[in-house]
Amino acid sequence: MSEPTHRSILVVDIENSESLTNVQVEAVRAALYRIIDRAVQGAESLVAQEDRGDGAMLVLEIPVLDVLDRVVGGMLTGVREHNGTAGPLNWLRVRIAVHEGYVGRDANGWSSDAVTATFRMNSAQPVKYALERAPRADAVVVASDSIFNGLIRHGYRDTVTPDEYASFTMSSKSGDRRIWVRVPGYPEPPLPPTEPSEPTPTEHRADGADTARPDWEAATIRAENFIGGNAVVGTQVGRDNIHLGS
């Protein structure tokens, strides 16, 4: 592996590509690559572009502020123009993630923890949720916490402002990571609601002292019946087990 260099990283992915036929995938891929080519036109500092089947990864040596302004802005314009002429069944909706960090290259391509983080940002469930819940949107944009706090929130350019962004915490095996999401055209992204943690049940003792009950005592069992015709054909207890009726 070569010595690492600091680069801007962009990952773009087509929404719900797994639901498309091979013919449809070929058509939306062609549209996406036309959009990418136009967005990076004039960005002489494109270091690499790797195909990802239903998307692509770009490694660039221009400042990340230029990536947000020129490249992301160009992609959003391209997707909007495509959807303005395509029929509803041929709409293209994308997720775009932007990060920066040190990357290295070997014979098989680019890699680093920054690259991995960018892919995880792009595929995070709340990011997918935000686009699914925004039917009028063409795209969702997600930026790392360091980029938001170091650049976006300061409003250095009129085209790159903190308006429309909201944050959530992305959990992974390597720890929690705060990221920022924007759905262009919406005042704030429709992120999933956060679930309040339930208070620990307590025992009320006769002497007036309250003590927390052990987790195993506070456990509950939830069961759901699955109906087949007019008969109950199975019961699911908790999340894992299904008991079939006789």
Side-chain angles (χ1 to χ4, degrees):
M1 186 173 183
S2 61
E3 291 188 0
T5 51
H6 195 275
R7 295 288 183 259
S8 300
I9 307 161
L10 184 151
V11 172
V12 57
D13 196 60
I14 298 170
E15 180 190 43
N16 292 332
S17 60
E18 67 277 2
S19 66
L20 304 177
T21 66
N22 290 341
V23 173
Q24 290 172 318
V25 169
E26 184 176 351
V28 296
R29 273 173 52 85
L32 177 64
Y33 273 96
R34 285 194 299 269
I35 291 166
I36 293 174
D37 289 344
R38 288 178 57 186
V40 300
Q41 208 167 34
E44 300 82 2
S45 54
L46 176 62
V47 176
Q49 178 175 310
E50 291 188 358
D51 180 73
R52 297 288 169 160
D54 57 355
M57 178 183 73
L58 309 183
V59 178
L60 307 104
E61 59 184 2
I62 57 174
V64 72
L65 189 57
D66 287 329
V67 175
L68 291 165
D69 183 3
R70 295 162 54 189
V71 182
V72 174
M75 286 185 178
L76 295 176
T77 298
V79 174
R80 185 168 58 250
E81 290 176 349
H82 168 81
N83 290 342
T85 57
L89 295 179
N90 295 315
W91 256 40
L92 179 66
R93 288 172 25 116
V94 298
R95 302 187 306 274
I96 302 172
V98 180
H99 190 28
E100 63 178 345
Y102 286 95
V103 297
R105 185 180 185 183
D106 59 21
N108 297 307
W110 296 83
S111 65
S112 73
D113 56 353
V115 169
T116 300
T118 311
F119 277 99
R120 287 179 176 166
M121 288 162 50
N122 184 280
S123 61
Q125 285 302 320
V127 175
K128 294 180 178 181
Y129 179 99
L131 188 55
E132 289 172 358
R133 297 304 190 279
R136 294 181 289 103
D138 299 309
V140 58
V141 179
V142 54
S144 62
D145 190 52
S146 59
I147 287 177
F148 182 86
N149 283 299
L151 293 172
I152 296 173
R153 78 177 184 91
H154 298 288
Y156 289 115
R157 299 182 187 175
D158 293 341
T159 52
V160 183
T161 70
D163 300 339
E164 301 178 342
Y165 277 93
S167 69
F168 73 90
T169 300
M170 178 181 71
S171 299
S172 68
K173 293 181 180 179
S174 59
D176 292 343
R177 182 185 297 270
R178 191 182 192 191
I179 60 177
W180 294 81
V181 181
R182 170 192 172 214
V183 178
Y186 284 70
E188 61 180 31
L191 293 173
T194 56
E195 296 183 2
S197 57
E198 296 182 0
T200 303
T202 58
E203 291 279 3
H204 299 284
R205 291 168 38 181
D207 59 6
D210 293 341
T211 58
R213 293 166 56 190
D215 289 342
W216 62 269
E217 286 190 17
T220 58
I221 296 176
R222 299 180 61 184
E224 288 185 39
N225 291 326
F226 295 87
I227 308 299
N230 295 320
V232 176
V233 297
T235 300
Q236 180 170 347
V237 180
R239 294 183 178 179
D240 301 318
N241 304 314
I242 296 181
H243 304 284
L244 296 178
S246 56

